[in-house]
């Protein structure tokens, strides 16, 4: 079996669609990041892309079926010391605990949640 990252060919030489599609969704738009035939390579690429775009929704599909999806729900926080706004994923507790104001350097305890979007 071929382990290429490019769409495979059928015996007649026609190209077929890749088995796995990985896309990033931002602001209602979908951006194709990778088209991969091999399952193990698709898993590795998916994990790498999760790290590359930590604040984006990343989806791996097999045809129309969603195999894996990381939903990101960003919420706005305001620094009570200087008014600087930052966005964090509320489903990632470490992202909330590690908030440091880029304006004045205030710690997470100096922030107030304003809501989403």
């Amino acid at each position: 079996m071929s382990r290429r990252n490019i769409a495979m060919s059928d015996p007649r030489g026609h190209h077929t669609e890749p088995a796995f599609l990985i896309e990033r969704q931002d602001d209602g738009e979908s951006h194709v990041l990778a088209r991969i035939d091999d399952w193990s390579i698709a898993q590795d690429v998916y994990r790498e892309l999760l790290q590359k775009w930590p604040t984006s929704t990343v989806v791996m599909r097999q045809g129309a079926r969603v195999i894996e999806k990381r939903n990101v729900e960003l919420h706005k926080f305001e620094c009570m010391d200087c008014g600087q706004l930052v966005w964090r994923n509320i489903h990632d507790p470490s992202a909330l605990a590690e908030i440091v104001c880029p304006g004045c350097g205030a710690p997470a305890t100096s922030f107030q949640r304003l809501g989403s979007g």
Side-chain angles (χ1 to χ4, degrees), residues 73-93:
E73 187 177 348
L74 296 178
H75 284 256
K76 190 174 5 178
F77 292 83
E78 180 181 24
C79 177
M80 294 184 291
D81 293 342
C82 72
Q84 177 80 34
L85 298 177
V86 297
W87 295 83
R88 291 296 182 267
N89 179 3
I90 64 164
H91 298 296
D92 181 1

Side-chain angles (χ1 to χ4, degrees), residues 44-74:
D44 291 342
V45 170
Y46 178 77
R47 284 191 289 272
E48 288 292 323
L49 294 173
L50 290 177
Q51 292 178 4
K52 185 172 183 174
W53 284 287
T55 60
S56 296
T57 296
V58 179
V59 181
M60 180 167 49
R61 300 180 186 278
Q62 185 177 29
R65 187 178 80 161
V66 173
I67 303 295
E68 298 207 36
K69 181 176 184 179
R70 181 198 49 204
N71 284 320
V72 175
E73 187 177 348
L74 296 178

Side-chain angles (χ1 to χ4, degrees), residues 1-14:
M1 180 171 182
S2 173
R3 292 184 61 93
R4 295 179 293 170
N5 287 353
I6 304 170
M8 296 167 62
S9 297
D10 69 13
R12 296 175 302 239
H14 298 105

